[in-house]
Amino acid sequence: MIVAEQKPLEDLQRMLKGKKKVLAVGCGTCVSVCFAGGQKETRGLAAALQTAAAVDGEELEVHERTVQRQCVQEFIAPLEDDLEEYDAVLSLGCGVGVQTMAERFPKTRTLPGLDTNFMGQPTEPGVWEERCVGCGNCVLEYTGGLCPITRCPKQLMNGPCGGSEGGMCEVDTSIPCIWSKIWGNSENLNLMDMLMEVQPPKDWSTSRGGAMRRTVVRDDLHQPNADGRTTTTEVAAAKADAADGPEAEVEAPPADPNAGAREDAFLKELGLS
Amino acid sequence: MSAQPERKDDAASESQWKSGSNLERVLADGHFAVTGELGPPKSMNTDIVRKKIGQLKGFVDGANITDNQTGIVRLSSIGTGIILEQEGLEAIIQMTCRDRNRLAMQSDLMGANIHDIKNVLCLSGDHQSFGNHPGAKNVHDVDSMQLIRMVQEMRDLNKFQGGEEIKGGGPRMLIGTAASPFSSPVEMRPFRLAKKVAAGADFVQTQMIFDMKLFKEYMKRVVDMGLHEKIKILAGVGPLKSPPMARFLNSDVPGIIVPEECIQRIDDAGKGIDADDKEARTAAYRAEGIKLCIEQIQEIQEIEGVAGIHIMAILWEAAVEPIVRGAGLYPRPVPADTPTPTPGPAA
Ligand code: SF4
Ligand code: SF4
């Protein structure tokens, strides 16, 4: 899951300075599980922002809505009808949610209410730990299922540095040295031979070293729209174009008569219909 | 891939040396090698560099020049190394994986080699959070193992990491690495060294050793694995300056174990001296630190598989001369002069 935390209230106050009416939009998926941007947190934050504004003698009205998945356009589409009345949207989605809002509603100012931290897991009550940085070329095969790209601060590929002491990492002695763990468990997994091989330099082109990554996971779901455009984001952009000038003759979505069926299939894929 | 003809001035010796460095020749001749360490200043003050050169020259076969050690920006290792070469002290540049990607590394290695730098120590690098730019983004495009392999392939196969040929030959450098015998998991440390041998390292300098018993156990395993025949092992040593410094090394530096009796010895040296006479106490501690270091070197010389020592007297370069003299390792051997090898594959 994606783990995030709320920005400090002062930062949000600074961001919202001068705005009179704001819509806080929570998300019911990952950030709700880590108690950063679910319905409860969104409600709480809306109230806190209004109270803080009142204390400062400022006029601020904060409404709140929480969508099931802010990172999927279809889920945020219904917000559109009311957006005009707001000076800004404060998104309590992760960084993907914020951008989905910003791209779907390019005429509305979308502001980030959270700091998105990492992809990780809860390890004990109230604690989440990072597990994957999405390098696009998974090496867990060679490392006994534990990720040194994410969990070793030096992203070593060939065993522990000299800083590992008592099984802990020199960079943060409260965190286990992941290479100590990998090597420590190598006998159980019969990994020794593999660990003794010199792993060549990693191909980072699949990671942040390359351009923005785009993956088409399911060709059967991926069909160009009637106008040849391919993504729902672009349909939204086309719609915005249409509103701007007469040349663009694109209908508001669904432009493609099958789009509705495809969206249904898509939602079904996500287990949501 | 063929060697370029221009620098073929001594065809007979060219295949004999990987780098032609003084250190390589001292080690090849079977002398007990001595390397030291020189930390560049946090400025462009070359007088400081020259002063340290003066303290080390003649007493070591080569000096490591740290590369932004502990994540603190300093005069560059290569820039400082060029001064060392000009002044007649052999440079062992350190190169960390923290600050450079594979492009910068390869370009800097070639740049260093054209300025006569012939030794490189390949390191992961201290994490930037320890230094004076904790907000910096680290690189770690390749790790130290991959860096060793990259330098080795540049040298022996005349090949860039990306696979292209280095026309005219790659940099001819002796490849060093570091080992920390007492870091965890301790039982795996000889395997980590074996991996560095497989990657192509020619020599290794260990973390500072004070616990001789543990070091002998480590070396026994290393010798049993036959690693000492494939890589030259230089044991790290260093003079203890004072009891607090000894305690700090023991508790705060990963991989360094200072046994209580060593700390006690330094402590005892100050006993009986008037508590107000700070100068006399400091001098007594330091003299004992040097004496202890000499004894340890003598003990290390008896351990099978050790090819030399690496003296870490950072911020106390003046200690190197008495240590080397005291251990009977002065004068340093001067191997018969050998011309720089021609770039290109060894015959
Ligand atoms: S190797 Fe890459 S994809 Fe696999 S867990 Fe680590 S960061 Fe994620
Ligand atoms: S101590 Fe372990 S986890 Fe930490 S930087 Fe070194 S190898 Fe990586």
Side-chain angles (χ1 to χ4, degrees):
Chain A
M1 59 180 280
I2 292 172
V3 180
E5 55 194 339
Q6 268 181 23
K7 279 184 177 288
L9 197 63
E10 313 81 75
D11 286 6
L12 298 176
Q13 283 177 285
R14 178 188 50 74
M15 259 187 231
L16 296 177
K17 195 136 196 94
K19 311 255 183 309
K20 302 235 168 347
K21 201 169 172 194
V22 169
L23 179 65
V25 182
C27 175
T29 308
C30 305
V31 295
S32 139
V33 181
C34 63
F35 306 105
Q39 189 174 50
K40 249 173 131 178
E41 294 77 38
T42 308
R43 277 193 187 146
L45 184 66
L49 283 167
Q50 286 190 147
T51 310
V55 169
D56 292 348
E58 279 169 22
E59 189 190 320
L60 175 67
E61 204 181 320
V62 185
H63 295 172
E64 47 86 18
R65 295 270 291 274
T66 297
V67 295
Q68 185 57 34
R69 280 187 200 189
Q70 213 178 107
C71 57
V72 178
Q73 300 237 357
E74 283 71 11
F75 286 85
I76 59 168
L79 295 174
E80 177 159 29
D81 302 339
D82 308 326
L83 279 185
E84 257 177 31
E85 44 178 295
Y86 295 100
D87 300 329
V89 161
L90 180 65
S91 161
L92 274 81
C94 70
V96 185
V98 177
Q99 294 183 63
T100 311
M101 294 287 296
E103 286 175 276
R104 177 88 193 196
F105 309 121
K107 289 187 178 156
T108 301
R109 182 86 196 270
T110 303
L111 297 165
L114 304 184
D115 288 318
T116 303
N117 295 322
F118 49 75
M119 281 187 268
Q121 56 163 203
T123 50
E124 50 186 289
V127 179
W128 285 264
E129 284 185 11
E130 185 173 20
R131 289 294 180 263
C132 175
V133 291
C135 76
N137 178 6
C138 195
V139 304
L140 296 187
E141 171 192 357
Y142 310 106
T143 59
L146 303 173
C147 177
I149 306 301
T150 308
R151 299 170 74 176
C152 166
K154 299 178 188 171
Q155 308 194 325
L156 301 183
M157 296 270 294
N158 284 288
C161 76
S164 174
E165 197 166 65
M168 304 310 262
C169 172
E170 66 167 350
V171 177
D172 181 341
T173 50
S174 72
I175 287 174
C177 163
I178 198 62
W179 272 110
S180 270
K181 278 189 122 170
I182 295 169
W183 285 45
N185 197 31
S186 61
E187 252 175 65
N188 292 334
L189 301 179
N190 210 0
L191 266 186
M192 208 45 212
D193 288 347
M194 204 176 248
L195 290 174
M196 286 305 288
E197 272 168 37
V198 178
Q199 291 299 327
K202 191 165 162 56
D203 176 0
W204 295 106
S205 68
T206 57
S207 181
R208 282 300 302 116
M212 186 196 85
R213 293 167 282 174
R214 166 183 279 170
T215 309
V216 178
V217 181
R218 291 280 300 268
D219 280 325
D220 55 338
L221 292 173
H222 177 77
Q223 292 157 20
N225 290 316
D227 59 354
R229 293 173 187 252
T230 52
T231 69
T232 44
T233 304
E234 286 173 27
V235 173
K239 188 187 166 199
D241 285 348
D244 275 344
E247 319 83 25
E249 288 187 23
V250 185
E251 281 280 321
D256 166 359
N258 297 322
R262 268 212 321 280
E263 282 184 15
D264 286 348
F266 182 50
L267 296 186
K268 206 166 165 196
E269 276 298 310
L270 296 169
L272 287 167
S273 72
Chain B
M1 271 186 265
S2 64
Q4 293 287 303
E6 303 98 76
R7 279 164 70 187
K8 246 183 195 162
D9 43 352
D10 189 338
S13 65
E14 118 192 27
S15 62
Q16 193 183 344
W17 306 110
K18 292 172 173 173
S19 68
S21 76
N22 181 59
L23 180 62
E24 180 181 7
R25 289 180 281 142
V26 168
L27 287 165
D29 287 353
H31 298 290
F32 192 77
V34 180
T35 55
E37 201 147 306
L38 190 153
K42 284 203 270 185
S43 69
M44 295 187 289
N45 187 338
T46 52
D47 291 343
I48 298 178
V49 176
R50 291 201 162 82
K51 182 168 172 236
K52 293 183 180 189
I53 291 173
Q55 289 168 324
L56 295 175
K57 191 175 162 183
F59 302 103
V60 295
D61 305 316
N64 288 21
I65 309 159
T66 51
D67 180 20
N68 293 337
Q69 197 193 16
T70 62
I72 291 172
V73 179
R74 293 174 178 278
L75 189 59
S76 85
S77 178
I78 294 171
T80 308
I82 293 170
I83 301 182
L84 262 72
E85 292 295 336
Q86 288 165 352
E87 301 283 329
L89 173 60
E90 181 157 293
I92 304 166
I93 55 160
Q94 296 193 351
M95 184 171 278
T96 74
C97 301
R98 179 195 56 220
D99 304 336
R100 294 174 179 84
N101 68 6
R102 63 190 86 175
L103 277 72
M105 285 172 163
Q106 294 179 93
S107 135
D108 278 350
L109 286 164
M110 295 192 296
N113 200 222
I114 60 166
H115 286 290
D116 275 335
I117 291 170
K118 303 189 192 99
N119 308 290
V120 59
L121 196 84
C122 304
L123 302 170
S124 308
D126 297 316
H127 196 260
Q128 69 278 5
S129 57
F130 297 115
N132 59 358
H133 293 76
K137 184 174 188 298
N138 56 12
V139 181
H140 299 296
D141 173 25
V142 299
D143 66 17
S144 57
M145 200 74 70
Q146 295 159 347
L147 173 57
I148 292 168
R149 175 65 56 90
M150 188 165 83
V151 186
Q152 188 257 332
E153 290 184 350
M154 288 176 86
R155 181 189 69 196
D156 298 341
L157 305 177
N158 301 315
K159 192 171 91 119
F160 287 113
Q161 192 277 326
E164 237 175 276
E165 181 192 345
I166 308 173
K167 294 215 171 75
R172 313 287 310 193
M173 295 176 110
L174 197 69
I175 305 167
T177 180
S180 188
F182 310 144
S183 290
S184 69
V186 175
E187 61 289 354
M188 302 297 265
R189 289 290 159 177
F191 293 106
R192 172 113 168 124
L193 182 60
K195 206 167 164 178
K196 288 183 166 178
V197 172
D202 300 305
F203 71 100
V204 56
Q205 296 167 331
T206 76
Q207 179 57 288
M208 261 192 257
I209 307 293
F210 295 97
D211 193 320
M212 290 301 149
K213 191 172 159 281
L214 283 183
F215 184 59
K216 283 173 189 165
E217 286 168 17
Y218 170 81
M219 280 308 300
K220 178 157 188 323
R221 292 189 60 200
V222 166
V223 169
D224 287 347
M225 289 166 75
L227 297 178
H228 64 303
E229 281 160 3
K230 300 181 186 142
I231 189 166
K232 300 292 183 184
I233 300 166
L234 277 59
V237 295
L240 295 169
K241 237 182 194 173
S242 64
M245 182 248 195
R247 288 195 189 95
F248 171 81
L249 287 180
N250 186 44
S251 58
D252 283 42
V253 183
I256 297 187
I257 299 171
V258 188
E260 190 49 42
E261 68 253 32
C262 293
I263 302 176
Q264 201 57 50
R265 254 186 76 170
I266 306 296
D267 213 7
D268 287 348
K271 292 215 170 111
I273 297 173
D274 189 352
D276 292 335
D277 195 349
K278 275 212 175 105
E279 232 171 81
R281 286 166 74 92
T282 304
Y285 290 146
R286 291 185 172 205
E288 191 62 24
I290 288 174
K291 197 163 158 245
L292 177 66
C293 188
I294 291 168
E295 289 171 22
Q296 294 188 321
I297 292 171
Q298 286 163 342
E299 201 171 339
I300 286 168
Q301 277 184 281
E302 301 303 315
I303 302 175
E304 186 187 357
V306 179
I309 46 159
H310 174 59
I311 306 172
M312 281 170 266
I314 280 236
L315 301 177
W316 191 14
E317 284 84 357
V320 172
E321 175 176 352
I323 291 171
V324 173
R325 284 185 189 275
L329 295 168
Y330 184 84
R332 300 306 309 145
V334 185
D337 198 41
T338 314
T340 308
T342 308

